[in-house]
Amino acid sequence: DIVLTQSPGTLSVSPGESATLSCRASQTVSSSYLAWYQQKLGQPPRLLLYGASNRATGIPDRFSGSGSGTDFTLTISRLEPEDFAVYYCQQYGSSPLYSFGQGTKLEIK
Amino acid sequence: QVQLQESGPGLVKPSQTLSLTCTVSGGSVNSDGYYWSWIRQHPEKGLEWIGYIYHSGTTFSNPSLNSRLTISLDTSKNQVSLKLSSVTAADTGVYYCARGLDVRYCSGDTCSHSWVFDPWGQGTLVTVSS
């Protein structure tokens, strides 16, 4: 089974600064099949990016993604108070058909 | 705007069957191109995809749950159902219903597909305990 490992587990950043979150796969993932979600406390996950770098509807341009192969990155620029949440990467295609990373908690420094 | 709402018992005894329903509003479970999915989140842990059902009735599930899982559609009620048998404490968690979709996008002359979940229901907490 493919395993997605996110790092760091917790990231402390000040509002206004940038945050870089990593997602590493145990085997090659097509960049088309890599997505990112944001989950705030008590809420379901919300789709942020698909195809590794394409923003979902309504997602501000301070969210960007990159990567290929086994290494993918989510970058959040100019952090706003509402951006502090848990972020998950998700892959499609390998067994199991869909899987998620364990999440990175972005907290206010 | 499509909305999903999960419902079902919050407490299930070990060895029994967990049954949940997802009611879809603002859209039809009969629509082509959507994979009505169940995803769960274990306490303080990450997300686990359980399985999906297509409007045709075709299902696909996580191999780790395959033998215990049934996902079905009720088109008359616009609902998706989940049944998980022989539950244990390890099945405790928040269960989400989500619409799986194939997003087609193009960059220049190259077009690709991405399979994602959007939107999600609010989730329902299920505890397995005697």
Side-chain angles (χ1 to χ4, degrees):
Chain A
D1 287 5
I2 190 169
V3 176
L4 298 179
T5 302
Q6 293 186 239
S7 61
T10 301
L11 182 60
S12 299
V13 184
S14 300
E17 296 186 340
S18 295
T20 301
L21 289 66
S22 172
C23 174
R24 176 164 290 177
S26 60
Q27 54 190 270
T28 297
V29 173
S30 167
S31 58
S32 297
Y33 299 163
L34 195 288
W36 289 91
Y37 297 81
Q38 176 193 66
Q39 185 177 31
K40 297 181 181 179
L41 193 62
Q43 296 184 19
R46 177 176 72 143
L47 177 65
L48 287 179
L49 303 176
Y50 59 89
S53 62
N54 298 272
R55 284 183 296 276
T57 302
I59 302 303
D61 62 6
R62 62 178 184 274
F63 290 88
S64 62
S66 63
S68 63
T70 60
D71 292 303
F72 297 90
T73 299
L74 169 68
T75 301
I76 314 169
S77 304
R78 307 180 305 278
L79 279 163
E80 300 280 348
E82 62 266 27
D83 298 336
F84 292 92
V86 180
Y87 292 85
Y88 295 94
C89 56
Q90 172 241 310
Q91 69 84 32
Y92 164 85
S94 295
S95 182
L97 190 60
Y98 300 88
S99 61
F100 296 85
Q102 85 281 13
T104 290
K105 181 180 181 181
L106 179 60
E107 64 176 26
I108 298 176
K109 185 175 182 180
Chain B
Q1 181 182 353
V2 173
Q3 293 185 312
L4 298 85
Q5 180 65 59
E6 305 87 349
S7 59
L11 181 64
V12 181
K13 288 181 167 46
S15 80
Q16 294 191 342
T17 296
L18 180 163
S19 296
L20 296 175
T21 298
C22 171
T23 300
V24 178
S25 58
S28 171
V29 298
N30 254 335
S31 298
D32 192 15
Y34 299 132
Y35 304 81
W36 302 99
S37 303
W38 289 96
I39 298 160
R40 68 183 180 182
Q41 187 165 31
H42 303 282
E44 306 300 326
K45 293 184 181 178
L47 298 157
E48 180 183 29
W49 174 71
I50 297 171
Y52 73 63
I53 186 165
Y54 198 52
H55 71 88
S56 61
T58 299
T59 59
F60 204 100
S61 57
N62 191 318
S64 68
L65 300 169
N66 219 358
S67 61
R68 299 193 291 132
L69 185 66
T70 302
I71 299 177
S72 59
L73 281 179
D74 186 335
T75 55
S76 66
K77 295 180 180 179
N78 218 31
Q79 292 178 334
V80 186
S81 294
L82 165 75
K83 292 187 188 300
L84 186 65
S85 62
S86 306
V87 297
T88 68
D91 295 308
T92 292
V94 176
Y95 284 72
Y96 293 101
C97 175
R99 184 180 67 174
L101 64 157
D102 167 9
V103 179
R104 186 173 185 269
Y105 64 98
C106 299
S107 177
D109 294 332
T110 303
C111 293
S112 304
H113 295 256
S114 190
W115 279 262
V116 297
F117 301 104
D118 182 49
W120 299 52
Q122 282 298 118
T124 187
L125 174 62
V126 178
T127 302
V128 178
S129 174
S130 55

